Amino acid sequence: MSEQSRPRALTEPAQLRAWTDEARAAGRRIGLVPTMGNLHAGHLSLVAAARERADAVLVSIFVNPTQFGDGGDFDRYPRTVDADLAALADRADAVWLPSVEAMYPFGPGAATTVHVPGLTDVLEGAHRPGHFDGVASVVTRLFNQSRAEVAVFGEKDYQQLQVIRRMVADLSAPVEIVAAPTVREPDGLAMSSRNGFLDTEQRDRAGLIHRVLSAMAGAARAGTPLPAVEAEAMAALSSAGFESDYAVLRRADLSEPAGAGEAEVALVAARLGQTRLIDNLRI
Ligand code: PAF
């Protein structure tokens, strides 16, 4: 791929400002795809969705320290900027690569935080305290910096998508949120940067998560009582060597359904060795 087709790499706030000024002056609609890099086909599908809705496509790559816990995940998150820029050639117009200082001028620990109550207390929020505050805060900054009119997020991170939608509604943020479907490997495993941490044997087993989700959706549709469906899913994961945080059925807004007919999404979070995988399936 030729060097010319690579997106413009913007590393300073002033460069991003100039790029957004230029796009806006030309009447171009800015579409943002926020990422933490280590791009795979799932990310590229988000970029394609942005391209369909915007004239100037900006991808941000920022490994956000405020959304990681203490487990060392931040340090071991893969940084692959060169490969990412190559993958975005002919797909994105610009890539925003801020430093931690550009994102958090007074330091990540002292930064103003956006908290979305309620929705962030359950599921991922319960297992990763503070995670969604970090996500909502950095995404707010990215919206403000990019002045995007549309932003695309993956359904793979279902709860994140709900948190961002709620935040945008609560704060009247002038940005349209678009959800893009999960991209899967042939065995159903949702594409994720974390899949790269799985060894060959774990990778072979990881497709079970999608099969479990499909079984949960099928059982809910058939009217099986929800506690039985959830218990069976946990047992199936456990007997295959997964350590599960949850395997649950919820309404689309993540509230608890009263009965099988009200379940709209199945969600699983499970660990294989050191690697924590999450996935979901709409019913
Ligand atoms: O989904 C992600 O990759 C991150 O949570 C996001 C939205 C880029 C914020 O850092």
Side-chain angles (χ1 to χ4, degrees), residues 184 187-189 207-222 224 229 232-233 237 247-249 265-268 279-283:
R184 298 184 180 281
D187 68 346
L189 178 65
L208 178 70
I209 293 182
H210 184 246
R211 294 198 295 282
V212 165
L213 285 166
S214 304
M216 291 173 79
R221 269 189 225 107
T224 311
V229 178
E232 195 167 323
L237 288 163
V248 294
L249 292 152
V265 58
L267 304 107
V268 162
D279 198 0
N280 68 86
L281 200 64
R282 293 299 293 262
I283 296 169

Side-chain angles (χ1 to χ4, degrees), residues 34-36 62 64 67 131 135 138-139 142 153 157 160 164:
T35 81
M36 297 202 298
F62 179 64
N64 173 33
Q67 69 185 79
H131 168 68
V135 170
V138 80
V139 168
L142 292 167
F153 293 85
D157 293 307
Q160 168 172 282
I164 287 163

Side-chain angles (χ1 to χ4, degrees), residues 170-181:
D170 271 351
L171 301 180
S172 307
V175 57
E176 178 197 349
I177 303 301
V178 170

Side-chain angles (χ1 to χ4, degrees), residues 16-280:
L16 176 63
R17 184 78 195 184
W19 183 83
T20 58
D21 279 349
E22 195 181 305
R24 288 162 67 93
R28 299 170 83 202
R29 183 172 151 89
I30 297 175
L32 172 70
V33 181
T35 81
M36 297 202 298
N38 195 227
L39 304 182
H40 48 66
H43 293 111
L44 299 182
S45 77
L46 308 184
V47 179
R51 175 63 70 205
E52 281 173 21
R53 294 162 176 89
D55 318 297
V57 174
L58 177 72
V59 175
S60 62
I61 298 180
F62 179 64
V63 185
N64 173 33
T66 66
Q67 69 185 79
F68 288 86
D70 296 331
D73 267 4
F74 173 71
D75 292 330
R76 74 177 188 139
Y77 196 90
R79 272 91 168 161
T80 55
V81 171
D82 263 1
D84 294 345
L85 290 174
L88 290 170
D90 290 334
R91 293 189 162 99
D93 298 301
V95 180
W96 173 220
L97 297 157
S99 62
V100 172
E101 292 71 32
M103 229 33 167
Y104 300 108
F106 301 98
T112 300
T113 299
V114 180
H115 176 67
V116 179
L119 199 47
T120 59
D121 296 335
V122 299
L123 303 175
E124 286 306 286
H127 289 276
R128 303 179 67 189
H131 168 68
F132 286 122
D133 287 356
V135 170
S137 302
V138 80
V139 168
T140 300
R141 284 165 173 73
L142 292 167
F143 287 167
N144 290 338
Q145 293 165 339
S146 67
R147 296 184 286 168
E149 287 169 73
V150 57
V152 185
F153 293 85
E155 283 176 352
K156 150 89 171 50
D157 293 307
Y158 184 83
Q159 190 173 4
Q160 168 172 282
L161 178 63
Q162 305 313 312
V163 168
I164 287 163
R165 283 195 191 287
R166 178 76 62 82
M167 176 185 87
V168 163
D170 271 351
L171 301 180
S172 307
V175 57
E176 178 197 349
I177 303 301
V178 170
T182 303
V183 178
R184 298 184 180 281
E185 302 283 0
D187 68 346
L189 178 65
M191 287 202 180
S192 164
S193 299
R194 287 170 184 241
N195 296 352
F197 295 133
L198 300 170
D199 64 29
T200 313
E201 182 277 323
Q202 290 169 333
R203 172 62 195 86
D204 285 347
R205 265 189 292 157
L208 178 70
I209 293 182
H210 184 246
R211 294 198 295 282
V212 165
L213 285 166
S214 304
M216 291 173 79
R221 269 189 225 107
T224 311
L226 300 185
V229 178
E230 294 173 347
E232 195 167 323
M234 290 291 271
L237 288 163
S238 162
S239 63
F242 289 78
E243 243 179 71
S244 307
D245 284 341
Y246 55 81
V248 294
L249 292 152
R250 289 286 183 268
R251 289 199 179 98
D253 66 2
L254 293 178
S255 61
E256 293 209 21
E262 289 183 6
E264 291 171 305
V265 58
L267 304 107
V268 162
R271 208 170 271 99
L272 258 185
Q274 296 295 303
T275 307
R276 190 170 180 279
L277 302 170
I278 62 169
D279 198 0
N280 68 86

